[in-house]
Amino acid sequence: MIGRIIRVSEQNPRLVISIFYPSSGGSRLKGIDLYAPCQTEVADIFKEMGVDLENLNVIDKLSIDDKPNTSKGIWPVLILSPGFGVERDMYLGIISNLVPKGYIVVTIGTPYESIFTVYPDGSLIKQEKEMAELKSSDYSSWHQLLDSRSRSITEVMEYLDTLNQSAPELAGLFDLKNVAAVGHSLGGAAVLEAATLVKRIKAVILLDPSFHLIRVDEIPSSVPVLLLRQEASSYEAMASVMNEEIARDYIDGQRNAYNILTNSHFYRVKGAQHMSFSDIPLYYGDLHAESVHTATVEAMTAFMEAVFQSRHRLSAMPLHSNDTVVQINSDGDPI
């Protein structure tokens, strides 16, 4: 079973996180119950989006009001920063496969930016109109969001220190010497920049990150990085589905990162689209995301185990190109 506890750090705005951990039991939690005590309001939001509420039941092994499994002692930590507009816990397809492998996953809320944010006290914050209407070409606003995301990751690391020392049900569970950060889309750009601020981040995993927003002078050069891109990873493929100017900036950012990140490993996932790394396709009955999640977790696990065992630089990458996960060069083409 997988347990989940919500905690709120009293920042401004209040920083809400979900902590997923290996558990030995507890009351089962349905998909809509992730958003307690605002299930009714959130159900209405999903219905307006055309989502069948039954599709929110991505997994059947999530529980609440239980105790963490302490048999192992401490668990490596994975901090997850979601994509723009995506609620922090819409990654259960990945989380549910990572936690049983021996990890604690901490997801970070993004109030006012995500489609909605629910707090344990019943507060519900919907996405601001300004965020919903943010233009892809407004780089200044995107970089402000990126700065906010990077700060939140720093704050979460500090908060985990506090929880690890004093929270009755969590104290001593976090192995804060083995921390990886994973980010999707905007969250990917954020975790890469955060790795320069939080030296305890030992590995960075990028799920189709917003390369067009990454600032070259603010990314680490040697931290181990795993990139998993959608299948449309070259300029030609991107330009066919997005604004050509954004596609050019995106491929330029990808090339710069490839050249600067001296300890990086670039791959693309066959069949993956940008949102395939989240649960959102599953909400609409698109099951292709299940195979993407499986491949993603296998790659992430092999990468993190190798990094944590080596303590920093990998002498050899444990991944090899196959039919699903294909190694790519700076242009996004198969090697």
Side-chain angles (χ1 to χ4, degrees):
M1 294 292 289
I2 300 167
R4 172 180 175 261
I5 290 178
I6 300 173
R7 288 292 178 266
V8 180
S9 175
E10 297 300 326
Q11 306 293 329
N12 185 20
R14 292 182 299 159
L15 187 61
V16 58
I17 62 174
S18 294
I19 302 168
F20 295 87
Y21 52 83
S23 166
S24 55
S27 304
R28 290 186 181 274
L29 196 66
K30 290 186 176 181
I32 193 62
D33 292 331
L34 285 166
Y35 310 110
C38 299
Q39 292 98 318
T40 300
E41 297 93 326
V42 171
D44 289 340
I45 294 173
F46 277 124
K47 289 175 183 177
E48 290 176 3
M49 296 167 58
V51 172
D52 182 340
L53 297 184
E54 283 299 313
N55 289 342
L56 299 181
N57 300 316
V58 174
I59 63 172
D60 61 2
K61 51 188 174 182
L62 190 63
S63 63
I64 195 170
D65 296 329
D66 55 339
K67 295 181 179 180
N69 184 341
T70 59
S71 60
K72 182 178 177 180
I74 59 177
W75 306 87
V77 177
L78 182 65
I79 296 175
L80 190 155
S81 185
F84 175 76
V86 183
E87 201 275 336
R88 69 184 187 279
D89 291 346
M90 292 180 177
Y91 293 88
L92 291 182
I94 287 177
I95 294 170
S96 64
N97 287 292
L98 274 172
V99 172
K101 294 180 182 293
Y103 293 92
I104 288 179
V105 179
V106 179
T107 63
I108 306 176
T110 56
Y112 304 103
E113 176 199 319
S114 64
I115 190 66
F116 57 78
T117 301
V118 174
Y119 288 87
D121 64 4
S123 303
L124 188 150
I125 298 176
K126 293 185 179 181
Q127 185 181 50
E128 284 188 337
K129 186 173 183 291
E130 179 183 357
M131 292 292 101
E133 297 177 352
L134 185 58
K135 295 181 179 179
S136 59
S137 58
D138 186 358
Y139 281 21
S140 176
S141 294
W142 284 109
H143 283 139
Q144 289 179 25
L145 281 177
L146 189 54
D147 289 336
S148 176
R149 288 290 199 95
S150 298
R151 288 194 302 270
S152 71
I153 294 167
T154 302
E155 292 165 2
V156 165
M157 279 299 303
E158 295 173 353
Y159 188 44
L160 292 182
D161 272 326
T162 301
L163 294 177
N164 211 30
Q165 295 173 24
S166 59
E169 66 277 80
L170 296 170
L173 287 180
F174 302 97
D175 180 0
L176 297 180
K177 292 182 179 180
N178 285 314
V179 177
V182 58
H184 175 219
S185 192
L186 175 65
V191 297
L192 191 56
E193 291 196 3
T196 66
L197 306 173
V198 184
K199 302 306 180 184
R200 285 187 293 177
I201 294 178
K202 302 301 182 185
V204 171
I205 300 167
L206 309 176
L207 305 180
D208 212 35
S210 300
F211 272 127
H212 61 299
L213 301 177
I214 292 174
R215 295 165 288 200
V216 173
D217 57 342
E218 295 186 25
I219 62 176
S221 60
S222 60
V223 63
V225 174
L226 172 65
L227 168 71
L228 296 174
R229 282 223 56 201
Q230 64 172 302
E231 187 164 359
S233 56
S234 66
Y235 169 75
E236 292 76 12
M238 286 187 290
S240 66
V241 296
M242 67 171 67
N243 178 283
E244 288 188 9
E245 182 178 353
I246 299 296
R248 281 196 297 272
D249 290 344
Y250 205 111
I251 200 66
D252 286 344
Q254 181 170 292
R255 289 166 178 157
N256 287 332
Y258 188 93
N259 292 326
I260 292 172
L261 296 170
T262 58
N263 199 1
S264 62
H265 311 273
F266 281 40
Y267 294 81
R268 72 184 187 193
V269 180
K270 183 178 179 181
Q273 303 165 16
H274 183 62
M275 296 308 299
S276 300
F277 298 99
S278 74
D279 297 335
I280 291 176
L282 300 178
Y283 295 167
Y284 293 94
D286 186 349
L287 301 183
H288 89 278
E290 292 181 346
S291 61
V292 173
H293 296 165
T294 298
T296 298
V297 170
E298 289 177 356
M300 290 172 64
T301 303
F303 175 70
M304 287 187 292
E305 289 179 352
V307 171
F308 294 154
Q309 290 171 6
S310 68
R311 294 298 173 187
H312 190 56
R313 178 169 291 278
L314 301 182
S315 57
M317 185 58 195
L319 302 183
H320 301 284
S321 290
N322 54 48
D323 290 340
T324 304
V325 180
V326 179
Q327 191 171 13
I328 58 175
N329 60 22
S330 62
D331 291 322
D333 296 321
I335 295 178

